Amino acid sequence: FPNAVLVAMGPERLAAGEHVYTMCVDGRLAAFTWLVPNQRTAKLPSVEQQIEFPPNSCTSYGSYALPSFRGRGIYKKVLSTALCDAFDSLGALAVYAAVDENNDASTHMKQVYGYVPARRLVLRRRFGSTQRENIDLLTAAPRPEAGG
């Protein structure tokens, strides 16, 4: 599944200026994440909202680690590389990520790398039943240099 997604959508996303960060183990895709440099707005269909980002912001999305590679620190390396590139090479002042409120593993991993909650986006519908979708918008900023 993840290989097919990268093959199908990768060329279009790369042509649009997005960056993909991957790690392979023994010739197999183990984890990946996408980074959009200088993103000004994003539409989040699950909560039917559009977000505006401050200047010099990147967004990280579509992160995935294959189950057989989880718990080995592989996704940590992918995320760390993407964040370093965003701040050091792309000049980002912040990197944003939207995470489903029930995805504790993703939220925890992003918090390890300095992401903090920025705001919660909520969608509620009531037509005989209640549907509720919560997306947490997290933001990371460059870490201060040691001794600086």
Side-chain angles (χ1 to χ4, degrees):
F1 166 72
N3 287 351
V5 170
L6 286 177
V7 170
M9 300 183 81
E12 181 180 324
R13 290 177 177 182
L14 293 170
E18 297 182 21
H19 298 225
V20 64
Y21 300 85
T22 64
M23 182 171 277
C24 293
V25 176
D26 297 329
R28 292 181 51 217
L29 179 65
F32 62 89
T33 194
W34 287 91
L35 187 74
V36 181
N38 299 312
Q39 186 160 9
R40 299 293 297 156
T41 62
K43 185 174 181 178
L44 298 175
S46 62
V47 289
E48 299 176 1
Q49 295 183 42
Q50 183 159 320
I51 302 170
E52 291 189 22
F53 299 105
N56 300 320
S57 295
C58 291
T59 57
S60 174
Y61 76 99
S63 303
Y64 188 75
L66 279 77
S68 59
F69 295 105
R70 293 179 186 162
R72 298 196 219 171
I74 292 169
Y75 177 66
K76 287 181 186 181
K77 291 177 184 173
V78 170
L79 182 59
S80 176
T81 301
L83 288 173
C84 285
D85 193 37
F87 296 126
D88 298 341
S89 299
L90 301 174
L93 299 178
V95 177
Y96 290 85
V99 179
D100 183 281
E101 74 167 334
N102 297 316
N103 192 339
D104 295 333
S106 183
T107 298
H108 172 73
M109 185 58 58
K110 286 180 172 50
Q111 288 174 337
V112 165
Y113 281 92
Y115 279 90
V116 296
R119 80 188 229 216
R120 175 165 281 177
L121 306 169
V122 178
L123 172 68
R124 290 184 180 95
R125 291 186 185 154
R126 295 180 187 184
F127 296 102
S129 65
T130 301
Q131 177 186 4
R132 181 177 167 185
E133 294 286 336
N134 287 342
I135 298 292
D136 291 326
L137 186 65
L138 307 175
T139 183
R143 292 186 177 186
E145 296 293 326

